[in-house]
PDB file of all heavy atoms in Angstrom:
ATOM      1  N   PRO A  96      53.510 137.722 -37.117  1.00 96.00           N
ATOM      2  CA  PRO A  96      53.859 139.017 -36.572  1.00 96.00           C
ATOM      3  C   PRO A  96      55.356 139.341 -36.758  1.00 96.00           C
ATOM      4  O   PRO A  96      55.752 140.577 -36.703  1.00 96.00           O
ATOM      5  CB  PRO A  96      53.634 138.881 -35.084  1.00 96.00           C
ATOM      6  CG  PRO A  96      52.506 137.906 -34.940  1.00 96.00           C
ATOM      7  CD  PRO A  96      52.966 136.882 -35.969  1.00 96.00           C
ATOM      8  N   TRP A  97      56.214 138.411 -37.077  1.00 95.00           N
ATOM      9  CA  TRP A  97      57.620 138.645 -37.252  1.00 95.00           C
ATOM     10  C   TRP A  97      58.143 138.307 -38.637  1.00 95.00           C
ATOM     11  O   TRP A  97      59.345 138.283 -38.918  1.00 95.00           O
ATOM     12  CB  TRP A  97      58.368 137.734 -36.185  1.00 95.00           C
ATOM     13  CG  TRP A  97      57.981 138.042 -34.873  1.00 95.00           C
ATOM     14  CD1 TRP A  97      58.396 139.094 -33.966  1.00 95.00           C
ATOM     15  CD2 TRP A  97      57.053 137.340 -34.120  1.00 95.00           C
ATOM     16  NE1 TRP A  97      57.774 139.013 -32.805  1.00 95.00           N
ATOM     17  CE2 TRP A  97      56.868 137.924 -32.811  1.00 95.00           C
ATOM     18  CE3 TRP A  97      56.167 136.145 -34.389  1.00 95.00           C
ATOM     19  CZ2 TRP A  97      55.995 137.531 -31.746  1.00 95.00           C
ATOM     20  CZ3 TRP A  97      55.305 135.788 -33.403  1.00 95.00           C
ATOM     21  CH2 TRP A  97      55.150 136.406 -32.180  1.00 95.00           C
ATOM     22  N   GLU A  98      57.236 138.114 -39.608  1.00 92.00           N
ATOM     23  CA  GLU A  98      57.716 137.891 -40.969  1.00 92.00           C
ATOM     24  C   GLU A  98      58.261 139.146 -41.740  1.00 92.00           C
ATOM     25  O   GLU A  98      58.810 138.971 -42.777  1.00 92.00           O
ATOM     26  CB  GLU A  98      56.600 137.219 -41.781  1.00 92.00           C
ATOM     27  CG  GLU A  98      56.312 135.853 -41.391  1.00 92.00           C
ATOM     28  CD  GLU A  98      55.321 135.141 -42.252  1.00 92.00           C
ATOM     29  OE1 GLU A  98      55.570 134.981 -43.428  1.00 92.00           O
ATOM     30  OE2 GLU A  98      54.151 134.772 -41.795  1.00 92.00           O
ATOM     31  N   ARG A  99      57.842 140.223 -41.133  1.00 90.00           N
ATOM     32  CA  ARG A  99      58.422 141.502 -41.753  1.00 90.00           C
ATOM     33  C   ARG A  99      59.076 142.355 -40.633  1.00 90.00           C
ATOM     34  O   ARG A  99      58.949 142.014 -39.468  1.00 90.00           O
ATOM     35  CB  ARG A  99      57.313 142.308 -42.359  1.00 90.00           C
ATOM     36  CG  ARG A  99      56.476 141.489 -43.378  1.00 90.00           C
ATOM     37  CD  ARG A  99      55.559 142.411 -44.170  1.00 90.00           C
ATOM     38  NE  ARG A  99      56.321 143.336 -45.023  1.00 90.00           N
ATOM     39  CZ  ARG A  99      56.858 142.960 -46.288  1.00 90.00           C
ATOM     40  NH1 ARG A  99      56.594 141.769 -46.697  1.00 90.00           N
ATOM     41  NH2 ARG A  99      57.559 143.813 -46.923  1.00 90.00           N
ATOM     42  N   GLU A 100      59.674 143.454 -40.977  1.00 89.00           N
ATOM     43  CA  GLU A 100      60.199 144.406 -40.039  1.00 89.00           C
ATOM     44  C   GLU A 100      59.408 145.660 -40.133  1.00 89.00           C
ATOM     45  O   GLU A 100      59.086 146.124 -41.236  1.00 89.00           O
ATOM     46  CB  GLU A 100      61.694 144.696 -40.302  1.00 89.00           C
ATOM     47  CG  GLU A 100      62.589 143.549 -40.051  1.00 89.00           C
ATOM     48  CD  GLU A 100      64.044 143.831 -40.166  1.00 89.00           C
ATOM     49  OE1 GLU A 100      64.343 144.954 -40.740  1.00 89.00           O
ATOM     50  OE2 GLU A 100      64.955 143.011 -39.880  1.00 89.00           O
ATOM     51  N   PRO A 101      59.060 146.277 -39.006  1.00 90.00           N
ATOM     52  CA  PRO A 101      58.386 147.575 -39.126  1.00 90.00           C
ATOM     53  C   PRO A 101      59.062 148.634 -39.784  1.00 90.00           C
ATOM     54  O   PRO A 101      58.507 149.576 -40.304  1.00 90.00           O
ATOM     55  CB  PRO A 101      57.977 147.887 -37.666  1.00 90.00           C
ATOM     56  CG  PRO A 101      59.032 147.171 -36.839  1.00 90.00           C
ATOM     57  CD  PRO A 101      59.338 145.958 -37.552  1.00 90.00           C
ATOM     58  N   ALA A 102      60.419 148.590 -39.698  1.00 87.00           N
ATOM     59  CA  ALA A 102      61.304 149.610 -40.393  1.00 87.00           C
ATOM     60  C   ALA A 102      62.565 149.016 -40.613  1.00 87.00           C
ATOM     61  O   ALA A 102      63.011 148.059 -40.028  1.00 87.00           O
ATOM     62  CB  ALA A 102      61.368 150.902 -39.483  1.00 87.00           C
ATOM     63  N   ALA A 103      63.348 149.592 -41.508  1.00 78.00           N
ATOM     64  CA  ALA A 103      64.676 149.144 -41.742  1.00 78.00           C
ATOM     65  C   ALA A 103      65.562 149.242 -40.549  1.00 78.00           C
ATOM     66  O   ALA A 103      65.414 150.241 -39.703  1.00 78.00           O
ATOM     67  CB  ALA A 103      65.320 149.908 -42.908  1.00 78.00           C
ATOM     68  N   HIS A 104      66.316 148.284 -40.319  1.00 79.00           N
ATOM     69  CA  HIS A 104      67.213 148.152 -39.150  1.00 79.00           C
ATOM     70  C   HIS A 104      66.535 148.098 -37.837  1.00 79.00           C
ATOM     71  O   HIS A 104      67.041 148.578 -36.776  1.00 79.00           O
ATOM     72  CB  HIS A 104      68.225 149.366 -39.150  1.00 79.00           C
ATOM     73  CG  HIS A 104      68.840 149.568 -40.472  1.00 79.00           C
ATOM     74  ND1 HIS A 104      69.775 148.678 -40.960  1.00 79.00           N
ATOM     75  CD2 HIS A 104      68.844 150.599 -41.330  1.00 79.00           C
ATOM     76  CE1 HIS A 104      70.317 149.124 -42.202  1.00 79.00           C
ATOM     77  NE2 HIS A 104      69.653 150.343 -42.454  1.00 79.00           N
ATOM     78  N   SER A 105      65.282 147.614 -37.873  1.00 82.00           N
ATOM     79  CA  SER A 105      64.567 147.414 -36.584  1.00 82.00           C
ATOM     80  C   SER A 105      65.216 146.311 -35.766  1.00 82.00           C
ATOM     81  O   SER A 105      65.902 145.359 -36.338  1.00 82.00           O
ATOM     82  CB  SER A 105      63.146 147.021 -36.849  1.00 82.00           C
ATOM     83  OG  SER A 105      62.474 148.048 -37.484  1.00 82.00           O
ATOM     84  N   VAL A 106      65.076 146.325 -34.518  1.00 88.00           N
ATOM     85  CA  VAL A 106      65.637 145.231 -33.612  1.00 88.00           C
ATOM     86  C   VAL A 106      64.947 143.966 -33.896  1.00 88.00           C
ATOM     87  O   VAL A 106      63.643 143.934 -34.035  1.00 88.00           O
ATOM     88  CB  VAL A 106      65.461 145.694 -32.155  1.00 88.00           C
ATOM     89  CG1 VAL A 106      65.899 144.529 -31.234  1.00 88.00           C
ATOM     90  CG2 VAL A 106      66.167 146.968 -31.763  1.00 88.00           C
ATOM     91  N   ARG A 107      65.718 142.895 -34.032  1.00 87.00           N
ATOM     92  CA  ARG A 107      65.185 141.592 -34.366  1.00 87.00           C
ATOM     93  C   ARG A 107      64.123 141.205 -33.277  1.00 87.00           C
ATOM     94  O   ARG A 107      64.459 141.353 -32.089  1.00 87.00           O
ATOM     95  CB  ARG A 107      66.209 140.548 -34.484  1.00 87.00           C
ATOM     96  CG  ARG A 107      67.144 140.716 -35.630  1.00 87.00           C
ATOM     97  CD  ARG A 107      66.571 140.208 -36.938  1.00 87.00           C
ATOM     98  NE  ARG A 107      66.608 138.797 -37.011  1.00 87.00           N
ATOM     99  CZ  ARG A 107      66.119 138.137 -38.052  1.00 87.00           C
ATOM    100  NH1 ARG A 107      65.509 138.737 -38.933  1.00 87.00           N
ATOM    101  NH2 ARG A 107      66.216 136.773 -37.993  1.00 87.00           N
ATOM    102  N   GLY A 108      63.053 140.675 -33.690  1.00 88.00           N
ATOM    103  CA  GLY A 108      62.038 140.286 -32.702  1.00 88.00           C
ATOM    104  C   GLY A 108      60.966 141.447 -32.559  1.00 88.00           C
ATOM    105  O   GLY A 108      60.041 141.218 -31.670  1.00 88.00           O
ATOM    106  N   THR A 109      61.031 142.420 -33.260  1.00 93.00           N
ATOM    107  CA  THR A 109      59.964 143.631 -33.197  1.00 93.00           C
ATOM    108  C   THR A 109      58.996 143.258 -34.243  1.00 93.00           C
ATOM    109  O   THR A 109      59.253 143.220 -35.420  1.00 93.00           O
ATOM    110  CB  THR A 109      60.702 144.910 -33.519  1.00 93.00           C
ATOM    111  OG1 THR A 109      61.758 145.169 -32.618  1.00 93.00           O
ATOM    112  CG2 THR A 109      59.672 146.046 -33.415  1.00 93.00           C
ATOM    113  N   PRO A 110      57.700 143.087 -33.730  1.00 95.00           N
ATOM    114  CA  PRO A 110      56.655 142.817 -34.707  1.00 95.00           C
ATOM    115  C   PRO A 110      56.311 143.888 -35.559  1.00 95.00           C
ATOM    116  O   PRO A 110      56.414 145.101 -35.117  1.00 95.00           O
ATOM    117  CB  PRO A 110      55.442 142.332 -33.736  1.00 95.00           C
ATOM    118  CG  PRO A 110      55.767 142.962 -32.461  1.00 95.00           C
ATOM    119  CD  PRO A 110      57.248 143.049 -32.352  1.00 95.00           C
ATOM    120  N   TRP A 111      55.824 143.731 -36.764  1.00 95.00           N
ATOM    121  CA  TRP A 111      55.466 144.691 -37.714  1.00 95.00           C
ATOM    122  C   TRP A 111      53.967 145.074 -37.643  1.00 95.00           C
ATOM    123  O   TRP A 111      53.501 145.970 -38.413  1.00 95.00           O
ATOM    124  CB  TRP A 111      55.851 144.262 -39.198  1.00 95.00           C
ATOM    125  CG  TRP A 111      55.099 143.132 -39.669  1.00 95.00           C
ATOM    126  CD1 TRP A 111      55.380 141.774 -39.311  1.00 95.00           C
ATOM    127  CD2 TRP A 111      53.885 143.134 -40.502  1.00 95.00           C
ATOM    128  NE1 TRP A 111      54.421 140.979 -40.004  1.00 95.00           N
ATOM    129  CE2 TRP A 111      53.580 141.758 -40.631  1.00 95.00           C
ATOM    130  CE3 TRP A 111      53.206 144.084 -41.197  1.00 95.00           C
ATOM    131  CZ2 TRP A 111      52.452 141.409 -41.467  1.00 95.00           C
ATOM    132  CZ3 TRP A 111      52.161 143.768 -42.024  1.00 95.00           C
ATOM    133  CH2 TRP A 111      51.768 142.400 -42.207  1.00 95.00           C
ATOM    134  N   MET A 112      53.282 144.485 -36.792  1.00 96.00           N
ATOM    135  CA  MET A 112      51.801 144.723 -36.646  1.00 96.00           C
ATOM    136  C   MET A 112      51.516 145.065 -35.195  1.00 96.00           C
ATOM    137  O   MET A 112      52.243 144.717 -34.243  1.00 96.00           O
ATOM    138  CB  MET A 112      51.030 143.574 -37.108  1.00 96.00           C
ATOM    139  CG  MET A 112      51.348 142.301 -36.453  1.00 96.00           C
ATOM    140  SD  MET A 112      50.374 140.820 -37.012  1.00 96.00           S
ATOM    141  CE  MET A 112      50.569 140.847 -38.721  1.00 96.00           C
ATOM    142  N   ALA A 113      50.364 145.702 -34.966  1.00 97.00           N
ATOM    143  CA  ALA A 113      49.964 146.028 -33.580  1.00 97.00           C
ATOM    144  C   ALA A 113      48.403 146.118 -33.555  1.00 97.00           C
ATOM    145  O   ALA A 113      47.809 146.469 -34.564  1.00 97.00           O
ATOM    146  CB  ALA A 113      50.557 147.376 -33.072  1.00 97.00           C
ATOM    147  N   VAL A 114      47.797 145.888 -32.409  1.00 97.00           N
ATOM    148  CA  VAL A 114      46.416 146.080 -32.161  1.00 97.00           C
ATOM    149  C   VAL A 114      46.153 147.407 -31.593  1.00 97.00           C
ATOM    150  O   VAL A 114      46.537 147.715 -30.478  1.00 97.00           O
ATOM    151  CB  VAL A 114      45.801 144.932 -31.298  1.00 97.00           C
ATOM    152  CG1 VAL A 114      44.355 145.301 -30.927  1.00 97.00           C
ATOM    153  CG2 VAL A 114      45.974 143.565 -31.958  1.00 97.00           C
ATOM    154  N   LEU A 115      45.472 148.315 -32.366  1.00 97.00           N
ATOM    155  CA  LEU A 115      45.066 149.660 -31.912  1.00 97.00           C
ATOM    156  C   LEU A 115      43.567 149.628 -31.616  1.00 97.00           C
ATOM    157  O   LEU A 115      42.785 149.171 -32.392  1.00 97.00           O
ATOM    158  CB  LEU A 115      45.476 150.680 -32.918  1.00 97.00           C
ATOM    159  CG  LEU A 115      46.896 150.773 -33.367  1.00 97.00           C
ATOM    160  CD1 LEU A 115      47.085 151.963 -34.316  1.00 97.00           C
ATOM    161  CD2 LEU A 115      47.798 150.963 -32.103  1.00 97.00           C
ATOM    162  N   VAL A 116      43.262 150.162 -30.452  1.00 97.00           N
ATOM    163  CA  VAL A 116      41.898 150.150 -29.957  1.00 97.00           C
ATOM    164  C   VAL A 116      41.360 151.527 -30.032  1.00 97.00           C
ATOM    165  O   VAL A 116      41.928 152.445 -29.377  1.00 97.00           O
ATOM    166  CB  VAL A 116      41.676 149.545 -28.581  1.00 97.00           C
ATOM    167  CG1 VAL A 116      40.278 149.571 -28.161  1.00 97.00           C
ATOM    168  CG2 VAL A 116      42.327 148.201 -28.519  1.00 97.00           C
TER     169      VAL A 116
END
Side-chain angles (χ1 to χ4, degrees):
W97 302 276
E98 289 189 64
R99 308 192 66 84
E100 292 183 350
H104 310 297
S105 297
V106 177
R107 294 281 284 177
T109 302
W111 63 282
M112 54 176 58
V114 171
L115 301 182
V116 183

